Amino acid sequence: MILQSNPKAAYLSHRAEIDAAIARVLESGWYILGQEVASFEREFAEYIGVAHAIGVASGTDALVLSLKACGVGPGDLVFTVAHTAVATVTAIDLCGAAPVFVDIDPQTYNMDPQRLEEAIAGSVASGLGLARAVIPVHLYGAAAPIDTIAQIARAYGLRLIEDCAQSTGSEFAGKKTGAWGDLGAFSFYPTKNLGALGDGGMVTTNDGELAERVRLLREYGWKERYVSALPGTNSRLDEIQAAILRAKLPFLDSANAQRRHIADLYDSLLVSSGLTLPKRSEIAPSVFHQYVVQTEGRDSLREYLKQAGVGALIHYPVPVHRQPAYEAFGRGASLPHTERAAREVLSLPMYPELDEEAVRETASQILSWQRSHSS
């Protein structure tokens, strides 16, 4: 079986460093918000190119705490996409705010700035709520057009929170994702480009006041222990996960380079497949969290690959605005490119340890399906 993702392979490739990091924490006797978290926060902030990084319990919490730090709450509108992991919208809902869905660019699958501006202008005219923030998602490892999105957000006085769950290490115009907005939200779920061996997240910012609010919010609003200065929660990146992430961070760029190498190989092998392959961009080179192809015969292709022992996943089969929990927010939304993507996208096996033989076998099976499908 060729796996679509394989976090165990990432552990095995850095086993000595990770085992030593875990042992260091166990022997220290300090397991919550100690030197490992503080050191990783400094190292990650330096890597992204920001002044502050605050470790939290998950990528979802990174979004929730970012929104709350910006004062987003009930009655507020937050503009985002429906072609994303549900966590993006869950975070908005958990703050009591309402998501306003924006359609995607059909080639990049990221937020379309023109549709964003139309949605903001429409919401202002409707008076349905107070427009407060924009959350673009840097999907599949490629940065959204964050320069234009940032200009639009500033023009309307909106906070900009980047969802960087799938883009750790990626750049737009030479500047890393997570350094463009008021805040950046990262996930360290095990399958991410920088993955822990459990849950974990990070908030990045250059704004000292926002950073302090996130630090307070992640631990009950405590300025001093047991005394809450504001309503907070318990969302702490633990010492063991921080130590693991510290061990893996120095290898992130080389791992992302390997993902690009695998993507290049897919491109060369699938050039005649009839599939729509990932769009490349010099200004926003992808770190290929996923290698996503598109075809009207997606379900047939996925089943063919499954029978051949090749794992492939759909990211994402049901747009968030069509999901029962959130469809009330999506009523009346016109998102044709989002809905087409949900019908047609397929994520092929992609992780740095994937060997070339597996890539070639995956491509061979796709070409075999294409020949049978055409006939």
Side-chain angles (χ1 to χ4, degrees):
M1 181 71 182
I2 299 173
L3 300 176
Q4 199 277 326
S5 62
N6 189 354
K8 183 178 179 180
Y11 162 64
L12 294 175
S13 66
H14 303 297
R15 184 172 188 166
E17 295 89 348
I18 291 171
D19 286 356
I22 293 171
R24 185 172 68 241
V25 175
L26 296 179
E27 292 167 4
S28 75
W30 194 302
Y31 306 125
I32 298 291
L33 291 185
Q35 286 304 308
E36 296 295 340
V37 170
S39 296
F40 180 56
E41 289 174 336
R42 289 193 299 269
E43 291 157 8
F44 194 75
E46 181 179 0
Y47 177 80
I48 298 298
V50 295
H52 308 279
I54 305 97
V56 296
S58 68
T60 305
D61 280 0
L63 288 167
V64 171
L65 299 187
S66 293
L67 287 162
K68 289 187 174 182
C70 291
V72 174
D76 293 337
L77 303 179
V78 179
F79 300 85
T80 192
V81 293
H83 186 59
T84 181
V86 73
T88 309
V89 178
T90 297
I92 297 169
D93 188 43
L94 286 172
C95 292
V100 179
F101 294 109
V102 178
D103 208 3
I104 58 173
D105 180 303
Q107 293 184 307
T108 67
Y109 309 113
N110 278 320
M111 181 181 282
D112 183 329
Q114 183 178 342
R115 302 285 87 80
L116 170 63
E117 190 152 24
E118 291 172 357
I120 296 171
S123 72
V124 171
S126 72
L128 294 176
L130 179 62
R132 291 296 301 273
V134 180
I135 303 181
V137 180
H138 302 299
L139 199 67
Y140 300 148
I146 194 65
D147 57 342
T148 306
I149 292 171
Q151 290 173 4
I152 294 169
R154 284 195 298 269
Y156 286 92
L158 306 183
R159 290 290 196 177
L160 178 60
I161 299 169
E162 299 174 71
D163 185 336
C164 305
Q166 299 186 15
S167 68
T168 308
S170 70
E171 298 180 350
F172 186 95
K175 184 176 179 179
K176 283 190 170 60
T177 59
W180 285 84
D182 293 292
L183 298 133
F186 291 80
S187 168
F188 302 126
Y189 187 80
T191 59
K192 303 300 186 186
N193 291 46
L194 180 62
L197 296 182
D199 267 321
M202 187 75 81
V203 176
T204 56
T205 184
N206 281 308
D207 187 315
E209 290 186 11
L210 289 176
E212 179 61 17
R213 285 186 65 82
V214 174
R215 288 191 186 96
L216 291 175
L217 288 166
R218 77 172 172 184
E219 194 175 34
Y220 309 116
W222 290 349
K223 278 191 174 180
E224 58 179 290
R225 194 167 181 83
Y226 306 128
V227 181
S228 297
L230 57 105
T233 188
N234 176 6
S235 180
R236 300 173 293 211
L237 178 64
D238 76 63
E239 285 285 282
I240 288 179
Q241 298 304 335
I244 292 167
L245 291 162
R246 290 186 71 198
K248 294 178 71 176
L249 181 59
F251 302 101
L252 176 59
D253 286 343
S254 61
N256 284 342
Q258 181 61 17
R259 288 174 180 270
R260 290 188 176 115
H261 171 71
I262 292 168
D264 289 343
L265 183 56
Y266 272 133
D267 280 356
S268 66
L269 295 170
L270 296 175
V271 66
S272 63
S273 66
L275 304 179
T276 300
L277 305 182
K279 180 179 173 60
R280 300 302 190 103
S281 169
E282 290 186 5
I283 196 170
S286 180
V287 293
F288 288 98
H289 174 63
Q290 303 292 349
Y291 185 92
V292 177
V293 297
Q294 186 171 350
T295 174
E296 292 181 359
R298 187 271 307 282
D299 293 338
S300 170
L301 173 57
R302 186 189 185 201
E303 182 60 27
Y304 190 95
L305 291 175
K306 180 181 178 181
Q307 295 301 319
V310 177
L313 295 176
I314 302 169
H315 298 98
Y316 296 93
V318 180
V320 182
H321 74 296
R322 296 293 188 193
Q323 297 184 21
Y326 303 107
E327 60 186 356
F329 296 119
R331 290 197 183 106
S334 177
L335 307 173
H337 298 310
T338 294
E339 295 190 3
R340 182 177 180 184
R343 294 192 302 268
E344 298 183 359
V345 296
L346 188 67
S347 299
L348 302 184
M350 170 57 78
Y351 52 94
E353 298 78 20
L354 186 67
D355 61 56
E356 290 194 5
E357 182 180 350
V359 176
R360 293 181 185 280
E361 174 62 16
T362 298
S364 176
Q365 293 297 335
I366 291 171
L367 294 174
S368 177
W369 168 82
Q370 191 261 347
R371 288 190 294 270
S372 65
H373 193 67
S374 298
S375 62

